[in-house]
Amino acid sequence: MMKAVRFHGKGDIRLDDIEVPTCGKGQVKVKPAYVGICGTDLHEYLGGANLIPTTPHPITKEKIPLTLGHEFSGVVEEVGDDVTDVKMGQRVSVQPIIYDGTCGACRDGLINCCDNNGFIGLSGWGGGLSEHVVVPRAAIYEIPDSVSMKVGALTEPLSVAWHSIDISPLKKGDKVLVLGGGPIGLGVIQCLKARGAETIIASDVSPRRKEFMKHFGAHHVLDPTQDDVVARVREICGGVGADVGFDAAGVQVGLDQALKAIRAQGTLVNIAVWEKPVQLQMNDIVFRERKYIGTTTFVAGDFRHVLDAIASGSLQPEPMITRIIKMDEIEEKGFKALIEEKDKHVKILVEVNP
């Protein structure tokens, strides 16, 4: 038997004793080291089950209670008989997307848009918040020697940020607006800086998050409760507005401001997952020929790009880690801390097998 943090329902996570998974063909058994608590985990805890299946998932065939943890690093402890390119003892980061490989999106290489998609740590196949987990070989990315296991656990949220920039029309010299100073917004700022962005404008209401935005490379930091965001962005951008915007906040007033702050024929990229229906002021798009596009998670290869950027030093995300806790502390010092003291924290990691 092993310990695992499992979601049983709204406001109900438990440290359970469950069976140790066995490693089969095409699989790798991993001993998780550090696991990040994600905003998605918090949404499930506060209002779920939403993404976590209450009826059998179409791919995993599993439903609640399910093991949590989809942002994690670990050590390989066993490989399937047919897995020849992964070795026991390797330090790895796990790319958690579950996909069927057969739908139209998957055939186009868009595993993040799979018709039946899910996540290890949300939809079945175990999760990082357990003493052992078995994952497909394709989910395994080796962590470079110069990168710590703690930082390796940040690969997943940073890959979300990296991918959002990839699908945007960002080009050298563009001026960029980033809304939201949570883990994803801070990840976007870091990835923009690593990729050479010269003018990054960031907006958030939290004093601590504004400090983090400055630390990670924002050239201008605005407070929408004090600044006229639209006017300030246009002023910074020579009167025309930002070329590209990234919304990692998911707030109606922020969306309204962002659309007006983007230049004519500019693009606003939505990363945020919205809890409620949102109003879109179409005339702000139509009469300035602006573009509004969505992005979700990441595709194959994004983990490698992020890990290489960390190894090279162009990404230095460790200050995002604001607390490290044990599995038996996860509800009080993890979930509740992020809900009740969210201005004090960016990323809380759970130490599973240090």
Side-chain angles (χ1 to χ4, degrees), residues 48-278:
N50 296 311
L51 296 177
I52 295 176
T54 55
T55 58
H57 186 273
I59 298 175
T60 69
K61 311 302 181 187
E62 297 179 50
K63 62 178 183 177
I64 58 172
L66 290 173
T67 302
L68 294 173
H70 61 274
E71 303 177 359
F72 64 102
S73 62
V75 176
V76 174
E77 52 184 353
E78 187 179 346
V79 298
D81 291 340
D82 59 338
V83 176
T84 59
D85 57 345
V86 176
K87 296 180 175 59
M88 287 186 287
Q90 277 186 333
R91 302 177 323 124
V92 298
S93 182
V94 175
Q95 193 255 61
I97 293 179
I98 295 171
Y99 55 96
D100 61 28
T102 60
C103 71
C106 285
R107 292 198 302 271
D108 287 341
L110 304 174
I111 60 172
N112 57 328
C113 298
C114 174
D115 292 345
N116 296 304
N117 74 341
F119 272 75
I120 296 165
L122 283 172
S123 313
W125 291 356
L129 285 168
S130 61
E131 293 176 315
H132 310 275
V133 62
V134 170
V135 302
R137 162 62 189 92
I140 295 294
Y141 285 82
E142 185 174 10
I143 297 174
D145 291 341
S146 61
V147 179
S148 72
M149 295 288 271
K150 296 173 187 176
V151 171
L154 302 177
T155 309
E156 197 271 356
L158 288 169
S159 293
V160 172
W162 192 276
H163 178 66
S164 72
I165 296 169
D166 271 348
I167 71 164
S168 80
L170 184 75
K171 60 185 184 300
K172 185 175 176 59
D174 278 353
K175 296 176 174 61
V176 187
L177 171 65
V178 179
L179 300 184
I184 299 301
L186 293 176
V188 171
I189 291 170
Q190 292 175 74
C191 292
L192 285 168
K193 182 181 178 184
R195 296 169 71 157
E198 298 171 1
T199 304
I200 303 170
I201 309 162
S203 176
D204 199 282
V205 299
S206 163
R208 182 81 190 278
R209 288 185 173 187
K210 287 187 289 184
E211 290 175 7
F212 276 110
M213 286 171 150
K214 291 177 184 175
H215 172 83
F216 285 120
H219 303 100
H220 307 271
V221 178
L222 309 179
D223 183 336
T225 65
Q226 299 178 18
D227 297 304
D228 182 332
V229 172
V230 177
R232 287 287 290 122
V233 171
R234 287 180 178 171
E235 177 186 348
I236 293 165
C237 298
V240 297
D243 299 284
V244 182
F246 295 90
D247 185 359
V251 178
Q252 179 73 61
V253 65
L255 171 60
D256 295 341
Q257 291 173 337
L259 282 174
K260 287 182 169 63
I262 298 297
R263 68 181 299 153
Q265 292 194 343
T267 300
L268 179 61
V269 181
N270 179 79
I271 312 171
V273 176
W274 294 77
E275 294 182 349
K276 299 177 182 178
V278 61

